[in-house]
Amino acid sequence: MTVAPDSQPVVVGMACRFPGGADDLDSYWSILESGVDATSEIPPERWNVDELYAAEPAEGMMSTRRGGFVHDMCGFDAAFFGISEAEARGMDPQHRMLLETTWTALEDAGIAPLSLRGSRTGVFVGPAQNEYLAPNFRRAGYGGVNGLLCMAAGRIAHFLDLAGPVIALDTACSSSLVALHMACQSLAAGECDIAVVAASQAIVNPIQHLLLSEINVLSPDGRCKTFAEDADGFARSEGSGALIVMPRGVAREWGMTERAVVRATAINHDGHTPALIAPSAAAQYEVLELALRKSGMRPEDVTFVETHGTGTPVGDPKEVEGIMAAFGAAGRNRLTLGAVKTNLGHLEQAAGMAGIIKTILNLQRCEIAPNLHDGSMNPALDLAGAPARVPVQRVPWRPSPGGRRLAGVSGFGFSGTNAHVLLEQGQSLESRSGTERTHQLLCLSARTESALGAMAGNLDRFLCASPSTELADVAYTLAVGRSPFERRAAIVSSSAKNTREALTAAAAGHDHNNLIVGRAVKAPRVAFVYSGQGSQTPGMGRDLFDSEPAFRDALSRCAELLDGRYDKPVFD
């Protein structure tokens, strides 16, 4: 059964923190489009890999020296989130990353995070096992509350004061997609109006590396060589991602950007397979087919699938078998298969989040990022006569015969829970006509002076990299889509040049003619003074009437109320 267009869930905001310095969407896309291998040696601050690594299989030793790691795992602005340093030291790093990516995703959507207080906003999080608690139990504090999986979601809702459903779930590697599935169901049921969907994984001790080495599923060279003949296991990785999802009708009413439309989600289980962690091609086919049926789309409409793609000799062929049965059988369109794990490694609970965000970035740019490790293809995949390809360089994303760009994203859990999401390219908003203002007011705020300077520097670099950006759009987003804090700066902007000059000054802590810097006071009182003397700015009222809708509407209302009471009309 298809969903009414206005009720269709859409992704309006995203944020990420992935290996290789992919701490924002632009840096993530740079890694993807350039075909960067973001894995690395295990950082020495995590553990001494020399003491635990063995080139040959050995009991109690790990089989790899590599993985995917985020930069500065310990870096966290606890004060920003109202958390004491003592509590922060005992927090699972996943909680820290989830708070950061959720805040950033809300701002990416143009939603001031603190404006959601008391709202029916739901939180659906797929956190990984807490590797931090055991070695840090004595300093965890709060009776170990910091280490509970449920608190990964609860802490977000507590900080933002949200009143919708709040759920943390664990279905292993499919957790991200199952969290999105549950969020879409909750939106459809009217349980929440907005959904935060997030997932995380943090590698802070060697235990899981040792256990997975024992069952021989880790790649010795620490890379996921998906679809390759020499695929020999996966690389463990870490990171966090977040999505903001809402019904399409609400998103359009709020003027949100549609990053992508969630056409359908589906989940199922492998059932009884030859081994507890063995996959089932039949179950994978069924979950893909179920998502397709729910979407109301045809198989040939799906032209790209971001695979689970761990790079295991057994898993890859079974997954491709299911994909080709569901989407390739039509034979009228050539499928493109992607695997972001070749870039990042396997983020486990957060793996699906990396795949979803990659796919949405592909959709927005109408091109498909390449896969890495393009050696000889695994002959068991049997792609020779199939309508499928694995790109090893960036390729244009051609629309389907129906004129659509539709993608599937798969996530298959270690415990047998399978999930699939169908995403469609979002529609661009029609530009809103309005009178060009001669000046814009760019409002910046932060909790500290150093953060305010950093924000000014970031905005300066953004405007430099995106010279076609409309200053009116920047001013609107800063005013409406950001939560205000104590340290503040305002730039009176009449051109891109003087705006960047003022931003450069603000970043360096210097003065500028167009820059006003101050600090908010508690319970501010605002007064508007109309002196009656306007000769210094002739025509000011007409300029305001032409450029400011609120002023024009108010004056029109006054003219209507006073009509006929005076010899001369108000407008005259």
Side-chain angles (χ1 to χ4, degrees):
M1 183 179 69
T2 56
V3 179
D6 278 357
S7 300
Q8 198 81 51
V10 291
V11 177
V12 296
M14 305 191 300
C16 66
R17 191 174 177 194
F18 294 143
D23 293 335
D24 55 50
L25 299 176
D26 288 337
S27 56
Y28 185 32
W29 176 249
S30 179
I31 283 174
L32 295 173
E33 70 170 345
S34 304
V36 172
D37 181 350
T39 62
S40 65
E41 285 264 334
I42 296 169
E45 63 269 19
R46 303 300 174 94
W47 62 80
N48 187 339
V49 68
D50 292 328
E51 294 180 350
L52 296 172
Y53 170 72
E56 299 296 328
E59 186 176 353
M61 304 294 282
M62 63 180 59
S63 58
T64 183
R65 302 178 62 92
R66 295 177 63 87
F69 300 91
V70 301
H71 291 171
D72 192 17
M73 173 66 79
C74 296
F76 179 64
D77 189 350
F80 180 88
F81 295 101
I83 297 169
S84 69
E85 287 296 331
E87 183 178 359
R89 283 193 296 272
M91 282 174 61
D92 183 346
Q94 295 184 83
H95 294 197
R96 307 172 204 169
M97 290 192 293
L98 286 165
L99 283 169
E100 292 167 339
T101 52
T102 296
W103 183 278
T104 306
L106 286 166
E107 288 195 332
D108 180 65
I111 299 173
L114 298 183
S115 71
L116 295 177
R117 287 173 175 150
S119 68
R120 295 195 317 154
T121 299
V123 181
F124 303 84
V125 174
Q129 297 290 332
N130 183 354
E131 297 185 2
Y132 187 74
L133 181 60
N136 295 281
F137 183 76
R138 290 184 177 276
R139 65 178 185 177
Y142 301 89
V145 166
N146 274 318
L148 299 176
L149 290 183
C150 61
M151 289 302 171
R155 187 180 287 280
I156 294 170
H158 174 264
F159 172 65
L160 295 174
D161 189 18
L162 307 178
V166 177
I167 298 170
L169 59 96
D170 177 14
T171 62
C173 321
S174 57
S175 295
S176 297
L177 303 191
V178 174
L180 179 56
H181 174 78
M182 296 186 69
C184 292
Q185 287 189 328
S186 186
L187 287 167
E191 296 169 341
C192 60
D193 303 316
I194 305 171
V196 174
V197 183
S200 61
Q201 157 80 340
I203 302 172
V204 297
N205 70 52
I207 293 175
Q208 289 297 321
H209 267 72
L210 295 169
L211 293 175
L212 293 172
S213 294
E214 281 188 17
I215 59 175
N216 197 33
V217 296
L218 294 184
S219 170
D221 68 3
R223 295 177 175 88
C224 294
K225 298 179 285 294
T226 312
F227 309 133
E229 187 174 16
D230 59 348
D232 55 1
F234 65 85
R236 296 194 73 218
S237 298
E238 65 185 7
S240 177
L243 309 173
I244 308 302
V245 186
M246 60 173 57
R248 195 173 204 174
V250 177
R252 289 182 171 179
E253 183 181 334
W254 289 15
M256 298 292 186
T257 297
E258 289 184 5
R259 286 193 174 272
V261 183
V262 183
R263 290 303 306 260
T265 64
I267 59 175
N268 73 356
H269 194 272
D270 286 336
H272 186 83
T273 54
L276 177 62
I277 61 174
S280 164
Q284 291 177 15
Y285 160 75
E286 287 166 5
V287 78
L288 269 60
E289 199 277 333
L290 175 59
L292 188 63
R293 191 166 66 248
K294 290 172 66 176
S295 74
M297 306 298 288
R298 302 168 301 175
E300 58 266 29
D301 289 325
V302 180
T303 52
F304 173 75
V305 176
E306 175 62 28
T307 64
H308 186 59
T310 52
T312 58
V314 175
D316 287 359
K318 286 189 177 295
E319 180 172 7
V320 171
E321 180 186 339
I323 290 171
M324 298 314 299
F327 302 135
R332 286 177 260 172
N333 219 32
R334 196 174 187 195
L335 268 176
T336 301
L337 305 180
V340 74
K341 290 180 180 64
T342 62
N343 299 94
L344 304 182
H346 188 359
L347 276 77
E348 298 174 7
Q349 270 81 348
M353 195 58 65
I356 290 172
I357 295 176
K358 170 196 169 179
T359 302
I360 293 175
L361 292 175
N362 283 342
L363 282 167
Q364 290 188 296
R365 289 164 173 78
C366 301
E367 63 180 18
I368 296 172
N371 288 6
L372 274 63
H373 314 310
D374 56 329
S376 300
M377 294 293 291
N378 185 344
L381 297 178
D382 191 26
L383 289 179
R389 63 176 174 175
V390 177
V392 294
Q393 58 187 5
R394 287 163 58 189
V395 294
W397 190 336
R398 308 294 184 195
S400 70
R404 309 177 108 121
R405 289 184 179 88
L406 191 72
V409 183
S410 290
F412 306 135
F414 211 45
S415 62
T417 298
N418 305 309
H420 192 75
V421 173
L422 286 175
L423 298 171
E424 186 171 10
Q425 188 176 31
Q427 293 184 5
S428 301
L429 288 175
E430 295 181 4
S431 59
R432 299 182 178 182
S433 59
T435 304
E436 183 87 19
R437 292 191 177 112
T438 57
H439 292 74
Q440 301 292 340
L441 187 65
L442 276 62
C443 301
L444 287 71
S445 75
R447 288 201 187 277
T448 65
E449 288 186 11
S450 61
L452 185 64
M455 184 180 184
N458 289 338
L459 184 55
D460 184 22
R461 286 187 288 275
F462 168 76
L463 292 176
C464 179
S466 308
S468 62
T469 300
E470 293 285 347
L471 288 176
D473 293 337
V474 176
Y476 177 85
T477 299
L478 289 172
V480 176
R482 299 294 183 267
S483 294
F485 294 109
E486 296 85 357
R487 301 288 180 176
R488 300 184 179 186
I491 295 170
V492 181
S493 167
S494 58
S495 70
K497 182 176 182 294
N498 69 32
T499 300
R500 292 203 57 218
E501 289 174 351
L503 285 170
T504 301
H510 299 155
D511 293 332
H512 188 274
N513 291 339
N514 294 338
L515 176 65
I516 307 165
V517 180
R519 183 171 184 174
V521 295
K522 293 183 178 179
R525 300 177 68 188
V526 180
F528 293 91
V529 178
Y530 298 88
S531 65
Q533 172 58 267
S535 61
Q536 73 276 16
T537 313
M540 178 181 69
R542 180 173 293 279
D543 288 345
L544 283 172
F545 185 85
D546 290 338
S547 63
E548 298 292 344
F551 180 82
R552 181 165 59 248
D553 292 345
L555 195 57
S556 297
R557 178 63 176 152
C558 290
E560 179 184 336
L561 292 171
L562 296 173
D563 185 36
R565 296 195 179 195
Y566 300 97
D567 295 336
K568 192 173 185 179
V570 170
F571 283 148
D572 291 349

